[in-house]
Amino acid sequence: MKRRTRSILTGTLAIIASVIVFLVPFTFILMTASKTRQESAALQFSWPEQFALFENIVEVIQTRDFMLITAFINSTVLTVASVTLMVLFSAMVGWVLQRRQSRWNPAINLMVLAGLIIPPAVVPTIWVLQGLELFGTLPGLILIEVTFGLSFSVLMFRAFIAAIPRELDEAATIDGAGPIRLFFQVAFPLLRSVIVTVIVVQAVFVFNDFQNPLYFLPGDENATVQLTLYNFQSQFDTQWNLLFTNILLITIPPLVMYIFFQRQIVAGMTSGAVKG
Amino acid sequence: MAITTERRLARQSKRPGRLPEKPRKSRQKSQYPMWFYIPAAVLFFTLFVVPTIASFYFSLTRWSLFDIEFIGFDNFAQFFREPMLIQGFVNTFIFGFITSGLKVVFGLLLAVLLSSQIMGRTFLRSVVFFPVLVSVVGVGITFRVLMDPFDGLINTALAGIGVDGPGWLTDPSYALLSVAFVEVWRGVGLATLIFIAGIVAIPDEYFEAATTDGASPFQNFWHITLPLVRPAMVTVVILSLIGGLRSFDLIWAMTRGGPGFTSDVIASVIFKQYQAGFYGLSSAGNVVLFVVVTAIIVPIFWFLNRKEADQ
């Protein structure tokens, strides 16, 4: 009985500690974003005396000719386009890689792992993009995000496809389906759950990406939402309320994703935990 | 490399009759055509393989906006001569290993806590995991304010219990560790979830049998959970090392490598040299990072695969 009380006590303490450690920073963002400029300058963890969240939002949006709106459009185009291509291309690779045993499979598997491990070489990538006249353009950055996201997505698809029985392929083949119909009309619908997982996980990654837009898409008119934070920093250095309102605004899309797709995100990010 | 492979294979599959070593493949056309690889292979080859190979050449040059000149291994010599570059090299290891180690320890503790029967379990899991999804730059800026030496919440709270907190990000001996701490805060949720998935996969019977035999919770953890959660642990170690060794966003958002260059890592050195127009030196940094990451990750990967083959 005594041991039981003690374990409840440690449990409660651990819960309180983790709530403090993980929720205080978010509360701080919310509180600072709601303060007036003078009050936020004190950097204190306190309830705002004057609630100015809506004024701050309006002001952040209007800054620098509605740069945040442009950035949200850029980020949305970037995320949607790159995730679409990523899903399509990596599902095709995962499908053939899992189904067809060729002597190239070990080499392709090695490439997939290499793409996962090796950090991309920045300046030479810019050099290639310049050669293709894609440097500093949104399409260029989209292709970059697709390339860097392929490996992870292929691994997810391959693992999932392994669980789809081959009998389905055979039945479809007997019914006269060619490779394209087999993949798009038979396999693709069966992949639905893993497709959702890949979409959600990669969308969050691409949306939050800071390094690649910084390198491959310079320029204010091209800014993605993560770069607005970076570009506003000097401007807002004395206006913490606006900086934190900006943080708050760009956190909303991932938050919404998380609320609706919690299960898929968790499944995607923890896949491989049990199998290794 | 990959693309020529694809082409050759595509050609082969179109005329299977002419391949004497594969006479049993009499199907006219495979249902899994090799050209499915092509879109991904083209991108991967042009935007990843080519730059990676090119980086080896460029790292041997003095390369600016205007001209390019072959200088042999001078860049690497410079990399290991200049104190600020050496510091970045050493810091990469420190940052990678500290964050990875702490994520394993805290992730496992949180996972054990959050897979037991406690109230608000689902809510707590979300709370712990959410930082993973938040903008890294946003997290960096937030903690820069919280770690402010005078007005920041952390030092104000410490002053409340009579401790004089250091300048977390302004003191050269703390800056890197403070950033590493924030990286752990940000990434431990993912480690926790991976560990939870591993713990949930352990059959309940093991714990029941052990408890019947009088095992304490600690013995349960030490003799059942810890050995059986190994695959999850390997995943966490590999993922956090890959992320930690090439980490850039958080360091850049919090300290930009400062004060001085005490919290620089290879990834931030690469960016600084790029900004300064030393493209050759920046590429050399990439090659060094490539070697570091490969030299650490590949042995772990190889070890893991061997274990899997044994079973």
Side-chain angles (χ1 to χ4, degrees):
Chain A
M1 196 59 206
K2 206 171 164 192
R3 204 162 90 183
R4 204 180 147 74
T5 356
R6 221 178 64 191
S7 83
I8 290 178
L9 198 70
T10 29
T12 321
L13 279 179
I15 292 165
I16 294 171
S18 25
V19 167
I20 290 177
V21 168
F22 286 98
L23 282 187
V24 162
F26 289 112
T27 322
F28 184 77
I29 295 175
L30 203 57
M31 290 192 310
T32 311
S34 312
K35 286 177 180 173
T36 58
R37 183 173 169 181
Q38 294 86 342
E39 209 192 337
S40 72
L43 303 180
Q44 268 165 359
F45 186 79
S46 59
W47 198 250
E49 283 163 23
Q50 216 182 332
F51 191 77
L53 181 59
F54 297 107
E55 290 88 326
N56 289 342
I57 290 177
V58 171
E59 200 176 333
V60 168
I61 289 176
Q62 284 173 345
T63 308
R64 287 223 227 161
D65 271 344
F66 297 92
M67 183 171 163
L68 192 61
I69 303 283
T70 320
F72 258 104
I73 295 171
N74 285 341
S75 277
T76 311
V77 173
L78 173 70
T79 309
V80 171
S82 55
V83 171
T84 311
L85 292 179
M86 217 186 290
V87 165
L88 184 63
F89 294 171
S90 49
M92 286 162 72
V93 170
W95 172 247
V96 178
L97 189 60
Q98 204 284 321
R99 283 297 199 249
R100 179 170 180 163
Q101 296 305 316
S102 83
R103 63 203 159 108
W104 299 102
N105 276 20
I108 295 166
N109 282 325
L110 189 70
M111 284 288 156
V112 172
L113 287 186
L116 204 63
I117 295 171
I118 297 172
V122 181
V123 184
T125 310
I126 293 177
W127 171 73
V128 170
L129 283 174
Q130 273 171 339
L132 300 170
E133 296 190 354
L134 286 172
F135 178 64
T137 66
L138 198 53
L141 183 60
I142 290 171
L143 294 182
I144 288 284
E145 297 285 3
V146 176
T147 309
F148 295 169
L150 279 175
S151 288
F152 177 78
S153 317
V154 167
L155 286 178
M156 302 266 314
F157 278 114
R158 198 186 58 182
F160 191 87
I161 288 166
I164 299 179
R166 265 168 188 275
E167 283 75 22
L168 285 170
D169 306 10
E170 281 154 21
T173 309
I174 290 168
D175 288 346
I180 296 180
R181 271 193 60 194
L182 174 63
F183 177 68
F184 284 100
Q185 293 193 346
V186 180
F188 226 65
L190 293 172
L191 296 178
R192 221 190 64 145
S193 73
V194 69
I195 287 174
V196 174
T197 305
V198 172
I199 288 177
V200 175
V201 171
Q202 296 286 21
V204 172
F205 272 136
V206 174
F207 188 83
N208 279 338
D209 190 13
F210 170 69
Q211 194 175 5
N212 292 323
L214 182 66
Y215 275 122
F216 303 116
L217 195 61
D220 275 2
E221 73 280 11
N222 287 327
T224 62
V225 289
Q226 305 303 320
L227 286 182
T228 61
L229 228 43
Y230 175 75
N231 290 342
F232 284 175
Q233 241 175 65
S234 49
Q235 194 167 11
F236 285 170
D237 242 351
T238 46
Q239 304 184 43
W240 294 102
N241 54 339
L242 299 188
L243 189 56
F244 279 88
T245 308
N246 197 351
I247 295 178
L248 190 68
L249 288 179
I250 70 173
T251 306
I252 290 172
L255 178 65
V256 172
M257 285 292 243
Y258 185 53
I259 291 171
F260 284 102
F261 298 103
Q262 191 173 3
R263 206 167 45 84
Q264 283 85 355
I265 291 184
V266 170
M269 293 203 165
T270 58
S271 64
V274 187
K275 292 196 312 269
Chain B
M1 182 166 53
I3 185 171
T4 47
T5 307
E6 278 10 314
R7 284 212 194 109
R8 206 179 312 149
L9 275 161
R11 242 180 298 151
Q12 277 178 2
S13 60
K14 269 182 206 150
R15 26 168 217 193
R18 285 201 208 166
L19 288 172
E21 72 270 23
K22 282 186 185 171
R24 65 200 157 76
K25 276 210 168 174
S26 55
R27 263 181 298 170
Q28 279 303 299
K29 227 168 89 185
S30 170
Q31 282 292 68
Y32 313 108
M34 291 308 264
W35 66 260
F36 269 38
Y37 286 131
I38 290 177
V42 167
L43 280 182
F44 193 78
F45 183 74
T46 39
L47 295 180
F48 185 76
V49 178
V50 168
T52 304
I53 294 170
S55 71
F56 285 93
Y57 169 70
F58 287 134
S59 68
L60 304 175
T61 64
R62 183 179 293 124
W63 181 20
S64 70
L65 227 41
F66 309 105
D67 53 4
I68 183 160
E69 179 197 351
F70 190 82
I71 54 165
F73 287 94
D74 278 12
N75 284 327
F76 294 99
Q78 191 180 354
F79 213 97
F80 291 102
R81 200 174 48 223
E82 274 193 31
M84 74 174 255
L85 302 182
I86 298 176
Q87 177 97 60
F89 181 75
V90 175
N91 282 350
T92 305
F93 288 92
I94 298 177
F95 191 83
F97 285 114
I98 286 186
T99 51
S100 182
L102 289 181
K103 280 180 193 174
V104 168
V105 173
F106 287 117
L108 191 53
L109 288 177
L110 280 169
V112 170
L113 177 73
L114 295 181
S115 55
S116 61
Q117 299 294 327
I118 55 165
M119 20 165 239
R121 197 170 59 168
T122 326
F123 172 73
L124 278 174
R125 282 185 191 179
S126 310
V127 166
V128 172
F129 182 67
F130 189 61
V132 175
L133 301 176
V134 177
S135 150
V136 182
V137 185
V139 169
I141 293 173
T142 309
F143 271 90
R144 220 175 58 201
V145 174
L146 294 177
M147 287 177 166
D148 187 277
F150 306 109
D151 303 320
L153 175 65
I154 294 179
N155 277 2
T156 319
L158 285 178
I161 53 170
V163 181
D164 200 8
W168 298 103
L169 297 171
T170 48
D171 185 334
S173 45
Y174 287 103
L176 185 70
L177 296 180
S178 305
V179 180
F181 161 79
V182 177
E183 171 59 31
V184 173
W185 179 86
R186 199 189 70 76
V188 77
L190 182 55
T192 307
L193 279 194
I194 294 174
F195 276 126
I196 289 176
I199 290 174
V200 169
I202 301 173
D204 273 343
E205 287 82 11
Y206 294 180
F207 294 108
E208 282 161 18
T211 312
T212 319
D213 289 346
S216 71
F218 179 75
Q219 283 173 319
N220 269 343
F221 171 76
W222 194 254
H223 295 288
I224 302 176
T225 311
L226 203 55
L228 291 178
V229 88
R230 233 197 65 136
M233 190 172 302
V234 177
T235 309
V236 171
V237 169
I238 288 181
L239 277 184
S240 55
L241 270 180
I242 291 179
L245 291 172
R246 51 156 94 166
S247 181
F248 170 79
D249 296 9
L250 190 66
I251 293 171
W252 197 250
M254 290 185 74
T255 65
R256 303 210 174 170
F261 35 82
T262 47
S263 64
D264 257 328
V265 293
I266 299 179
S268 66
V269 167
I270 292 172
F271 184 68
K272 283 180 175 173
Q273 301 303 333
Y274 163 68
Q275 268 192 323
F278 300 125
Y279 301 141
L281 193 56
S282 174
S283 301
N286 258 120
V287 172
V288 173
L289 185 58
F290 172 101
V291 172
V292 167
V293 173
T294 317
I296 293 175
I297 303 292
V298 168
I300 300 178
F301 237 110
W302 175 80
F303 184 70
L304 166 75
N305 279 343
R306 203 192 50 172
K307 280 279 166 186
E308 227 171 47
D310 283 349
Q311 280 159 9

